[in-house]
Amino acid sequence: MRAFVTVLAISTLAITPALANDMPEELVGTWAVEGQCDQEDNVIHITADSLAMGAGEAMAIDYFEADSPAGNGAIHWAEEGNVDNFEYASETDQLLYNAEGYGMGIDPVVYDRCP
């Protein structure tokens, strides 16, 4: 009787999403809805790798330089499943918060740079 040995090779592939880019220095800082820099509930704080809305906890983010309908780049939450994003409008130096992602029929919330 012959014994057959079956060898099963298991390979794991690291599936990597599109690689994020470094956060542009011009996006780091504090931004507010319609210039309301003195109202914490209407402010966001951006670092090279996190974003905090108001006094909330900072959450991990990624920046993709070629991502937005206008090609201006956008900030996305690093957490899987979130589709909302902050699109940088370079021509007006504003951030457009798309609460449900791009083109979902809801006007974006506009954030201006705080001094």
Side-chain angles (χ1 to χ4, degrees):
M1 182 178 270
R2 273 190 191 159
F4 288 97
V5 177
T6 303
V7 176
L8 177 63
I10 299 176
S11 172
T12 58
L13 296 175
I15 300 174
T16 307
L19 296 176
N21 304 105
D22 290 337
M23 181 69 63
E25 190 63 34
E26 66 262 18
L27 297 183
V28 173
T30 302
W31 300 75
V33 175
E34 297 178 359
Q36 299 174 21
C37 296
D38 59 341
Q39 297 182 20
E40 188 65 26
D41 288 343
N42 294 325
V43 172
I44 59 173
H45 307 280
I46 300 173
T47 69
D49 60 0
S50 69
L51 188 149
M53 296 184 87
E57 181 180 338
M59 296 175 57
I61 54 174
D62 292 314
Y63 175 77
F64 299 92
E65 68 183 23
D67 183 54
S68 81
N72 290 328
I75 297 169
H76 293 265
W77 301 110
E79 179 183 334
E80 287 290 322
N82 281 328
V83 297
D84 55 333
N85 60 67
F86 294 83
E87 178 182 3
Y88 181 54
S90 60
E91 62 282 351
T92 59
D93 192 34
Q94 294 175 314
L95 285 176
L96 308 175
Y97 176 53
N98 299 296
E100 294 186 10
Y102 300 119
M104 295 308 293
I106 297 174
D107 289 336
V109 176
V110 178
Y111 284 84
D112 298 318
R113 184 183 307 279
C114 291

